[in-house]
Amino acid sequence: MFDVEKRFNERHAYPYVFLSEQPFTAAFKRIVRKATNASVHFGLIDQHQWQYPQWIDQDRAKSAIQMWADSNGATVAAATGWRHMVRFWASPVALHPLLRSFRYMWRLEPGSHYTCDIFYDPLRLMHDRQISYAFAVSFEAMPDTVPTLWPSALEFIHDSLSAHTLPSNNKNNSLGWILNNFSSSSRKSRPLHSYNRCEFLTNFELVDLDFMRSGAYQQLFDFLDRRGGIYYERWTDASIRSLAVTMLLGSDKVHWLHDIGYRHDLRHNCPAARDLQMRCTCDSLKSTHLLPMSCSARWKTDAAFIPWDSF
């Protein structure tokens, strides 16, 4: 929040919304309100959105979560609350009462840093260009995190085409970004192997909440949610959001925020333009988008439409 204020929001005064499954203390609220001149809203997350859905086998989920954590040395992913959190961010957040009056959401993540001054308004850019999703960092997820995500997506596509809820002439997808060298002639021999697991880092994202509230997004989320991959594997809000964006939005509705400096843990985006570097504290030569596992630079070249009947 301090970074956002200094780099951007002290000039715009966009309101902040803080959500938690636990009540905020009076001291926390006081400190936050002193940090900004913008309005601040605090809200609670409904308990039923922070617990296992009724269709999840809890014993199987706990075993799978612990097994994944043990094999990968990841303690955070072993926390049940972390799984509830990513499920909340995957969809329910857009339906929270405190967000009903907002069209756009700029997600802030504890521990993240904005490393460049931002002298334009990304939210205004979203509105003026009718962009539905914007990201700064993307990467290829580890293979063992989403082994059944794309097969589940294929099942959703087939069911939707059969039910005529996904018109075969609908050209609003950018699936080329997540499918390497996909073609209708290769799908019989390599129906699953072309999925490259590219994901947007959702710790920093700008989202048109109307997109997340749409019937198509909600149907896809409900379908995937009932597959249980958030608990039985390691699907995250990034996994689900990235799939939804590429399945439901054309490339013209998605924007790479290449000119915004952002860092979360070891992943970061740092603009290379000299005029921007003068306003940054990051090293553009170490930007994540230069690494082979990054998918950001591929967006402009690979985010092509793939006809639904190709599947």
Side-chain angles (χ1 to χ4, degrees), residues 16-29:
Y16 291 91
V17 176
F18 285 80
L19 300 176
S20 176
E21 81 283 10
Q22 299 291 334
F24 293 101
T25 65
F28 178 83
K29 292 180 180 180

Side-chain angles (χ1 to χ4, degrees), residues 1-5 8-9 14-19 89 105-114 118 202-206 262 264:
M1 179 180 176
F2 294 108
D3 280 354
V4 172
E5 279 293 299
F8 172 77
N9 204 43
Y14 281 115
Y16 291 91
V17 176
F18 285 80
L19 300 176
W89 276 111
M105 175 182 72
W106 177 329
R107 179 173 172 179
L108 303 180
E109 182 79 6
S112 296
H113 295 280
Y114 291 81
I118 305 171
T202 51
N203 301 110
F204 169 37
E205 61 180 353
L206 274 64
Y262 175 78
H264 180 77

Side-chain angles (χ1 to χ4, degrees), residues 119 271-280:
F119 285 104
R274 182 173 298 180
D275 60 328
L276 295 176
Q277 270 294 304
M278 295 176 64
R279 306 166 182 170
C280 299

